[in-house]
Every structure is written in C-alpha cells, then in structure tokens.
Amino acid sequence: MHKDLRGTHLSKKAFDNNEISTTLGDPHAYYEWDTGMGIGRFLQGLKEGRIWGTHCDTCKRTVTPPRVFCELCFSKNITWRELKTTGTVNTFSLCYVNWDATLIKEPHISAVIEVDGTSPRVGFLHLLNEVDPQKVCIGMKVEAVFKDEKERMGDITDIKYWRPL
Amino acid sequence: MSKNVAIVGVGFTQPQLKTVQVSYKEMVYEAAVKAYDNAHLASHKDIDGFVGCAEDLIEGTSIFDEYTPDQLGAVQKPVHTISGDLLHGLLVATMKIKTGIMDIVVVEAHSKASNLKTYYHVTNYALDPTWNRPLNVNPYYLAGLEKNYFMHHTKTTLEQIAGVVVKNKKNALQNDLAVFPEQTTVEKVLQSKPNFTPQTEAETAKQADGAFVFVLANEETAKKLSKKPVWITGMGWASDSPTLETRNWDEALYAKTSAHMALKQAHIKNIKEIDFFEIDDRFAYKELQHLESIGLYGKGKAGQALQNGDLNKDGKTPTNVSGGMLGCGSLLEAAGAIRALEVVKQLRGEAGQRQLSKANTALALSWRGIPTTSGAVLTFSRSLS
C-alpha cells in the first residue's frame, strides 16, 4: 500500500480475518490455444533466434507478427520474409504501476518497435531494457536480446527485451 | 425499411475433435472465404456489417469482439459481438438489415472447445458467485436435476429419452459434418456410464471444433445474389429468470415464449404446418422437452411421438435430421450453426442422401446451455408467401 494514496484503505489483514464480507472466487480457467500456421511459424522462428514476417503481394505490405491472410485485401497472396532483429521505437510508455496498484521505482518500459523490413507503422509490442528510462525516445534504434538458445521455448518471451543499438 | 431478409451464403470448416493445425482466426477465415463465395459476393467490401457470437471466458480473451474483424474482412466496418448462440446472431443481423441501414450482414460463430481445458469450471463461473458456486460441484448436475423433474412430471421414460440418442446418431451417419455418428441401440444407451444421474454419457453431446459464417441480405439484394435464398420468416427470443431455485424444470419457458413470438411473426397458426425441426439436443431429454415447450407436442407426449417414429426423417415431424448435437457435436456458440446450416441445405435441396421429400419450411431452436434459461427460435421458408 502506498502512503500517498488517498481514501480509506482496506488491509490484507482485514480480508484475512474475515472482517470484510467477501466471496473468494477462482475461475480455474485454463487454455491451450492452437497457434495456427501464421503464429506457429513465428514462434518457431523466435526459438531459432529469428523474426519472421509476411508480405502481402497485393497490398505491398510487410507485417510481423505474421499472418497467413491479409486482413485488408482479404487474400492469401502472402510471401514469408525473414526480418532483421533490429528496429526503431515507434512509441513507448514508462510503467510505474504494479499489478496490485502499488508504485514501483524503476519503471517497466513497454514499446512498439517497428522491426526493420516491415512497412511503416507496423509494430511489434515488447519491452525495453539496458537503457536509462529518461533517455528512451521515439525513433531510437534498438536490437532484440534473445534468451540463451537452451532456454527458448518458442514463446514471445524468447526475446528477453530490446536494447539501444 | 426492408421487410424480408434471407440467408444467401454459408461457409464452414469441417467440424473435428481437435483443430491443432489452425488458429481460430485461420479457421474462421476459411469459413468466411467459402461463405462469401457461396453468396456470390464480388468482394468482402460489399458487406455492410458483421455480428460475431462468442463468450469471453470461453475464448480466454476479454473484450473478444476486438479480435473479430481481421478474419472476416471486417476491418474498419461496423462489428459487434453477442454473447450468445449463432441463432441469436442471425436474428440480430436480421434486425440490422430490417432497419434499412444495412443491405448485407455477416454472422460468424466458431468453436475451439478443444483449447479450453477446464470447460466445466468456466461453466461453473456462470452460476451465482455467492450461493451456488461455492458448493463447488460440476455444474452439469443441473442436467440431472432437470431431467429428473421432467421425467417425473411428464411421465417420459428413460427408454424414450434413449431413443433420441439412437435416432440422432443414426441421422448423423448421413451427414458428412457429423463428428459422432453411430449405429446404437436403446439398450446400449441405457447401459452407458451415468455421469449426472439420471443423465448418462451417451445422452450427453460431446464437444467439437468448427467455424461457420452466414451471409444475410435484404430482399432486393438476396434476389440478385442467390437463386435459392432461405427466408427468415419469424424470430423469437427470451430469457427466464436465472435463479436455479425458482425455475420451471419440466417446461422450457424460453422455448415456449420464443416459439410463440416467432410463429406469430411468421403468421403460422399451427406449428404442425412446419416441415421439419432442428432443435437443441445437447442432453437427449432436451429434444423432447423443447418439442413440448414449443407446442409441437403436448406435455408428456413427445416421448411417445418418438417411439411412434414421428420424429424420424420420414415421420410426421422430422426432428434433427442433421444428427443434432448428439450426432454432430456440441460447438459452443456455433451449436446453432449446425441447425441453421441444415435448414439452408434442406431448403435449397442440397442435403444429399438425407434430403427430405418435403422441405419448404423449417424451425430451429437454440438453448444457450447450462446454466441458462435463454433461447431463440427462428422459422425459415424457401419462398415468400
């Protein structure tokens, strides 16, 4: 609990001691989403330290994460393209609030990165690190930092974060 | 205002137990491309609006409607999602067209049931959180409660209910889309494992994956696009009170109210005039309960009608010629899509070996499943009177 916040605070102790009437709920909702052809190949690429995109030969547009059909022209006129693991910060935010609404000192830095080789304003949402938060700027050149090969799972977090070039 | 609305195109993927090779987006895309081709649309850009049928907790994504546009060609178009069965989606789309604002509206529903690993728990989350959910029992016991009450008060027998399974699974043998066709017997059904007594496993529809897209149009557009438009002549929908403690277990009031509303709109005075029926049968007893609730049979009479063969393909009131959910599978919010698709195929004369000799009009009914008391009824015709 952050002392600067206004209002009447409810404590964990009050909940634990049943001083506040509540009903505890656990959705127990578990999923295993089929990644499909597009995202499946993309995730396999990350495991190999590569970033895949797709090019719509009709719209002349390259996107990542890739998709096997173009949502604009609605065709399957798609070519796979391996992209570079570098890019440019398109936009970013310094996140000072934790899951439980407590404040944190060192912010998480979320950013949309235009991966080199994609069409303008086609981004890739991820995190920045190894950078002074106050020095992050739109237009900053960055590179992907992958996990060690043995640790990769075919997951978006196989890229640990992006850092300035 | 556009008076009449028709289904002019259908597209779907082959229902399967699992669909690991495709994402839900890729599955829906396939169904959409086929539907637009079936409707003879020159371009997806001709479509004015889209309705998705999906439930956030089942999909595993909050505000799931945000994920609808890409795979339907609906980017930067009016899109909205309803938490309801595809039949509900069809009537929503029909209303959109009837406003006169839109000429062509698409309805989509899909099932990726195989991706949801804790279906019963998610269903339990639909119960009241304070006084029902904490009891922490698999909520399918509600089927057992209802079936027990239904049998007790209507004198419907276990044998009659088992006969629904035999009929529908047999019908499914003639449907390429069916995932669970089977040649079975009343004895085998009665001997199957009890899951929520008096409900048994054989009487409970099993889940499957699949995607379905329907294209609807106003009269002028429908006549241009299709030689065999399937007209939606009546629509009804209703929800009873959600409480488990006050509901009427022997009669499905949502079905009764919905049917009354739809028949009135379609100017059908006697429900028996309708040529065939596609009815929610996710639990075998529900088919009989629904048939009685919509007024096709009196209380306690549907079971006897089944035993007389009246619900068979060649009977007086063919019911679930498609194979129903027991034969085709339970497809979450796309459950009603199997029914609507069967109606379209029969009314177009494209049902192949299970084509009915008389298929000019049809009625389809959806129930939203446990623990709901919500349903929808649509009536269809191959011609405008």
Side-chain angles (χ1 to χ4, degrees), chain B residues 49-62:
Chain B
F50 299 81
V51 179
C53 308
E55 166 67 49
D56 289 2
L57 263 178
I58 284 174
E59 300 296 336
T61 304
S62 295

Side-chain angles (χ1 to χ4, degrees), chain A residues 23 25-38 67-69 71-76, chain B residues 19 21-23 26 29 36 44 57-60 70-73 112 115-118 121 125 129:
Chain A
T23 300
D26 172 12
H28 199 72
Y30 291 97
Y31 309 85
E32 284 177 8
W33 295 288
D34 297 323
T35 54
M37 295 175 278
R67 53 213 75 169
V68 295
F69 58 87
E71 76 275 21
L72 300 182
C73 71
F74 213 53
S75 81
K76 277 192 140 181
Chain B
T19 47
Q21 72 282 13
V22 284
S23 66
E26 291 163 355
Y29 175 79
Y36 304 166
H44 65 286
L57 263 178
I58 284 174
E59 300 296 336
D70 288 10
Q71 56 273 23
L72 289 174
K112 266 284 192 183
N115 287 191
L116 176 54
K117 297 299 160 189
T118 51
H121 286 88
Y125 233 56

Side-chain angles (χ1 to χ4, degrees), chain B residues 64-76:
Chain B
F64 185 74
D65 47 313
E66 289 295 303
Y67 294 84
T68 305
D70 288 10
Q71 56 273 23
L72 289 174
V75 174
Q76 294 178 15

Side-chain angles (χ1 to χ4, degrees), chain A residues 43-50 145-155 157-160:
Chain A
L43 295 175
Q44 179 60 30
L46 293 181
K47 202 171 176 183
E48 296 162 0
R50 302 168 173 199
V145 179
F146 282 86
K147 285 180 179 168
D148 289 341
E149 203 171 338
K150 284 179 186 170
E151 292 174 21
R152 293 181 206 149
M153 303 286 288
D155 197 286
T157 53
D158 283 356
I159 298 175
K160 283 198 287 189

Side-chain angles (χ1 to χ4, degrees), chain B residues 114-131:
Chain B
S114 65
N115 287 191
L116 176 54
K117 297 299 160 189
T118 51
Y119 175 77
Y120 291 128
H121 286 88
V122 168
T123 303
N124 194 41
Y125 233 56
L127 295 182
D128 182 277
T130 311
W131 64 81

Side-chain angles (χ1 to χ4, degrees), chain B residues 269-321:
Chain B
K269 285 185 182 150
N270 182 357
I271 193 171
K272 287 195 162 64
E273 292 169 20
I274 296 171
D275 293 336
F276 67 100
F277 302 82
E278 286 289 320
I279 303 287
D280 188 297
D281 63 330
R282 72 186 66 211
F283 304 110
Y285 74 91
K286 288 300 277 187
E287 177 172 309
L288 303 179
Q289 185 206 41
H290 283 145
L291 289 178
E292 292 176 9
S293 299
I294 62 175
L296 188 63
Y297 289 100
K299 196 169 180 179
K301 303 290 184 194
Q304 191 57 53
L306 176 121
Q307 285 185 319
N308 293 345
D310 293 346
L311 311 188
N312 291 347
K313 189 182 149 188
D314 56 357
K316 288 182 201 162
T317 56
T319 301
N320 287 332
V321 177

Side-chain angles (χ1 to χ4, degrees), chain A residues 16 18 36 44 55 67 72 106 114 117 137-138 150 155 164:
Chain A
D16 291 346
N18 284 329
Q44 179 60 30
H55 178 75
R67 53 213 75 169
L72 300 182
E106 288 299 321
E114 290 183 16
C137 61
I138 290 173
K150 284 179 186 170
D155 197 286

